Amino acid sequence: MAHHAVLLSGLRVTHGDEGDARFVHYVLEHGFRYLRGDAAHARFWDAPMFHPAANTIAYSDPLQGVLPLYAVWRAVGMSPDRAFQFWAFTVTSLNFLSALWLLRKGVGASWGAAMVGAVLFAAGSSRINQANHPQLLPQFYSVLAVGALLALARPETSRRAGAGWATLLVAACVAQLYAGFYWGWFLGFFLALTALVALGFPDTRAKLFQGLRTHGPALLLWGVVGVVALLPLVQHSLAAAREVGLRSFGEAEGMVPRFATWFHMGDTNWLYGWTGRLKTFARIPVEGEHRMGLGVLTLVLAGAGLWHARQRPVARLLMGVVLVTVLIATRYRGGLMPWWLVFHGVPGANAVRAVCRMGVWMLLPASVGLALFLSRQAREGKAWVAALLGSVCLLEQGQSGSTFDVAAARADVQWVAGQVGSGCQSFLYSPAGGNEPSWKYQIDAMWASFERGVPTLNGYSGNAPPGWALEPVIRADAASSARLDEAVRAWARARGLDVSSICRIETPPPH
């Protein structure tokens, strides 16, 4: 469901376009070369892009929490491109397995229902619609955290056993933040929201206070350890924030969910692709980020499953969290956006630009609700009904997303690398003309830097260092060429570079 296009191509293509997907791959490959001890990657936080700027990895997600899942494939001899594909397969498999564990052990769903729910979590439409942003794939740490929280909430969990679950809870939260900021921040946000919702029901409020009395010391101890473990990430992130500044709400406004966001499937969905042409969906700004729908039947059955199980605390808490989230995160007519208060009032929220990505988080309550509904059908002797409904729900998730040819992208990188002379101390690739977006040429240069072991002034990330004005990097005419020449001189002066030491690649691209 998640990677059929890649698998059916014989691994010839990779999900996404040549932008964010290759940038995420770049960060992982840089991390692997750092672990391997390559001289050009001796400092993890100083990737050889935006040369000679430091702390460039902190401009985006460092992906350290999932780097081992890439490094292991590289270590056994896979090429970078193949290792990246297997990294994605591994991450999706872990999403599935963690959700299966949660639905079976934490929620008590039947095996068949848990498997359907786990596939929904790992390969739901909203997640696959974000496949061009591979950093949004790894979410299994969050599932482990939720499972640990459920274990801590059980009255029968002893203080000794609770210490182990508290360790898992904190470790999973720390690892999720190191794996990617969005899921790490959303994990903290939804855990806090769950605690607030728990205060609204007498039984869950009692469980919350009892759990804190029993397991509070272990949570406090491991919480301190977790904070210490996060210090390197926090220090580098704050340094980057001081350098490039925080995001304004105007940058996030276009990606605050509309009411239609929660139902939008996108024009590549197998069953609902035709709805992408409807004005309700087509006119949404930054439309691709708003594809958070899961399908009519899936939403109905997931909601029914939670409602029928409302006597169970976990079901009531999930319904409450979903309801509050939709209420505070949706943009209403007239421009009313309660999220403005969250953005300016909750720590870290002003770093969340694509707010609607929280729709991917809704896969967790949706998978629980669907698994509970299908389990109920099976217990009532309607296993065939559960199998049929579960199959249709998974069919609703089918997507034919974008892909790019791995060999063609690699050939472009090799061509750029071939233009970098043996005596170059650094280089800038600013092609004369070209039909591709500027960011493609920036990333081609970044990957060519790997091939040659020479840092590049080119760069692409979530942010850029102050004073770096080399975007767009294409020399389309005399005016753009003059602008780039001046930008190079200004950058060199500001960073203490000798302009004559920078190798300039200004020939037309190969195609």
Side-chain angles (χ1 to χ4, degrees), residues 167-470:
T167 305
L168 177 60
L169 173 60
V170 173
C173 290
V174 171
Q176 189 66 84
L177 272 167
Y178 271 105
F181 175 78
Y182 269 84
W183 291 158
W185 188 86
F186 279 134
L187 174 60
F189 175 76
F190 283 116
L191 288 180
L193 191 57
T194 301
L196 291 176
V197 172
L199 295 175
F201 302 101
D203 58 339
T204 55
R205 184 168 60 247
K207 284 179 178 291
L208 176 62
F209 291 144
Q210 179 59 44
L212 289 175
R213 283 194 295 270
T214 304
H215 308 297
L219 287 170
L220 180 61
L221 171 63
W222 287 112
V224 172
V225 174
V227 169
V228 173
L230 284 171
L231 284 179
L233 176 65
V234 172
Q235 289 172 343
H236 284 279
S237 298
L238 289 177
R242 287 192 296 268
E243 187 177 24
V244 303
L246 296 173
R247 300 191 184 280
S248 67
F249 187 70
E251 293 182 74
E253 186 175 354
M255 288 179 277
V256 172
R258 275 66 172 165
F259 182 73
T261 299
W262 309 112
F263 305 96
H264 186 27
M265 305 291 288
D267 58 7
T268 60
N269 184 269
W270 297 345
L271 298 184
Y272 298 98
W274 58 274
T275 63
R277 297 188 296 272
L278 300 177
K279 290 183 179 180
T280 301
F281 301 122
R283 64 188 178 189
I284 299 177
V286 203
E287 177 269 334
E289 291 285 351
H290 289 262
R291 300 180 176 189
M292 293 297 142
L294 298 178
V296 175
L297 185 64
T298 303
L299 286 176
V300 169
L301 298 189
L306 292 175
W307 177 254
H308 287 311
R310 63 188 179 277
Q311 297 305 318
R312 298 179 57 177
V314 64
R316 258 181 294 128
L317 286 176
L318 286 175
M319 283 193 292
V321 169
V322 170
L323 178 61
V324 173
T325 299
V326 171
L327 288 175
I328 66 175
T330 302
R331 176 187 177 121
Y332 298 94
R333 289 186 180 274
L336 176 64
M337 286 176 285
W339 191 261
W340 186 92
L341 298 174
V342 177
F343 187 90
H344 290 96
V346 178
N350 53 6
V352 177
R353 187 168 60 101
V355 182
C356 48
R357 288 177 181 173
M358 69 169 55
V360 182
W361 251 95
M362 296 300 186
L363 284 169
L364 184 58
S367 65
V368 172
L370 181 60
L372 289 173
F373 181 88
L374 297 179
S375 291
R376 180 187 178 95
Q377 300 303 306
R379 286 196 306 270
E380 294 175 354
K382 302 175 183 176
W384 67 272
V385 174
L388 177 61
L389 293 176
S391 299
V392 175
C393 288
L394 296 185
L395 184 62
E396 286 185 312
Q397 311 312 311
Q399 293 282 346
S400 299
S402 62
T403 60
F404 67 91
D405 188 287
V406 173
R410 178 61 56 187
D412 290 342
V413 170
Q414 295 289 355
W415 183 88
V416 177
Q419 310 301 306
V420 181
S422 58
C424 293
Q425 299 178 29
S426 63
F427 73 94
L428 172 69
Y429 177 41
S430 53
N435 299 318
E436 301 290 345
S438 177
W439 46 256
K440 174 190 161 35
Y441 301 124
Q442 302 277 19
I443 298 175
D444 283 345
M446 290 159 56
W447 274 96
S449 173
F450 281 153
E451 300 290 330
R452 299 295 295 170
V454 177
T456 180
L457 276 66
N458 295 89
Y460 176 89
S461 185
N463 292 284
W468 184 86
L470 301 177

Side-chain angles (χ1 to χ4, degrees), residues 33-43:
R33 296 185 182 220
Y34 164 77
L35 294 175
R36 195 172 61 180
D38 286 14
H41 304 269
R43 296 183 300 276

